[in-house]
C-alpha cells in the first residue's frame, strides 16, 4: 500500500494547501494531512480547530483516501508510525526551496527510507500563505478565494475575536 504524509502548520489551511492535496491524493492509497503542533511554534488556531477544518476539507472535496492527523515529534517518526514512505511538500517562490532543502537533508539523515515529493504551487497561489490570510482578515479584508469557502466564516470569526 502506498502511504503518504502531507505535514504542515496549516494555520489555517488555504486553497494553496488544497491545491497540493488534490494533486497528491490520487497518487496514494492513503494520505495523511498531519498538523504540526508544539515545536516552539505558536499557532493562531488550536490543533483541534486546524484538524477540524481539515476534516471539513476532506468531506467537502470527497477525498476518500485522505485522513487527518497530528504530530509533535519528528516527522519521520510520525511517517513510520503510520507506515508512510513518502512526505509531500509544496514549493512556492524560491524562498521555500532553501528551507525545504535543509529539512530534506535532515529527514534523509534520520530515515533514508522516507522520500519527499514536492509539488510546485500553482501560479495563482504562489504567494499565498496562512500568514497572508491572517493579516488580510485582521485588517478586515476579504479572504474569499484564499481559503476553502466552507471554512471562511470560522477563520474570520476566530481572527476577529483575537
Ligand atoms: P510549514 O510550517 O510546515 O511550512 P505550512 O502550513 O506553512 O507549514 O505549509 C505546509 C506545506 O504546504 C509546505 O510544504 C508549504 O510549502 C506548502 N504550501 C503552503 N502554502 C502553499 C501554497 N500557496 N501553494 C503550494 N504549497 C503551499
Amino acid at each position: 500500500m502506498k502511504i503518504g504524509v502531507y505535514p504542515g502548520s496549516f494555520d489555517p489551511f488555504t486553497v494553496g494547501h488544497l491545491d497540493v492535496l488534490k494533486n497528491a491524493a490520487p497518487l496514494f492509497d492513503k494520505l495523511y494531512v498531519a498538523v504540526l503542533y508544539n515545536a516552539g511554534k505558536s499557532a493562531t488556531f488550536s490543533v483541534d480547530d486546524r484538524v477540524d477544518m481539515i476534516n471539513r476539507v476532506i468531506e467537502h472535496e470527497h477525498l476518500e483516501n485522505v485522513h487527518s492527523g497530528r504530530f509533535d515529534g519528528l516527522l519521520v517518526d510520525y511517517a513510520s508510525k503510520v507506515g508512510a514512505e513518502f512526505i509531500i511538500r509544496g514549493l512556492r517562490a524560491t524562498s521555500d526551496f532553501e528551507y525545504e532543502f535543509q529539512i530534506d537533508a535532515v529527514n534523509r539523515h534520520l530515515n533514508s527510507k522516507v522520500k519527499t515529493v514536492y509539488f510546485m504551487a500553482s501560479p495563482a497561489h504562489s504567494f499565498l500563505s496562512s500568514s497572508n490570510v491572517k493579516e488580510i482578515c485582521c485588517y478586515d479584508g476579504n479572504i474569499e478565494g484564499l481559503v476553502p469557502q466552507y471554512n471562511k466564516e470560522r477563520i474570520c470569526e476566530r481572527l476577529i475575536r483575537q
Side-chain angles (χ1 to χ4, degrees), residues 59-143:
E59 192 188 322
H60 276 82
E61 307 295 334
H62 308 290
L63 298 165
E64 272 98 23
N65 61 333
V66 178
H67 304 267
S68 59
R70 59 183 77 191
F71 72 102
D72 70 344
L74 293 173
L75 173 59
V76 288
D77 290 343
Y78 178 79
S80 298
K81 193 179 98 184
V82 298
E85 280 179 293
F86 299 92
I87 292 168
I88 305 302
R89 296 289 286 174
L91 284 178
R92 284 162 296 182
T94 50
S95 52
D96 274 344
F97 180 79
E98 191 78 21
Y99 175 71
E100 296 295 338
F101 196 62
Q102 286 178 30
I103 299 290
D104 181 60
V106 173
N107 286 337
R108 276 172 195 246
H109 171 77
L110 294 170
N111 187 344
S112 60
K113 286 194 194 122
V114 179
K115 311 285 181 208
T116 305
V117 180
Y118 301 90
F119 286 84
M120 298 301 288
S122 78
H125 306 140
S126 59
F127 291 97
L128 172 60
S129 66
S130 300
S131 310
N132 293 156
V133 166
K134 288 187 274 195
E135 201 166 330
I136 294 169
C137 222
C138 281
Y139 291 107
D140 223 10
N142 190 355
I143 57 165

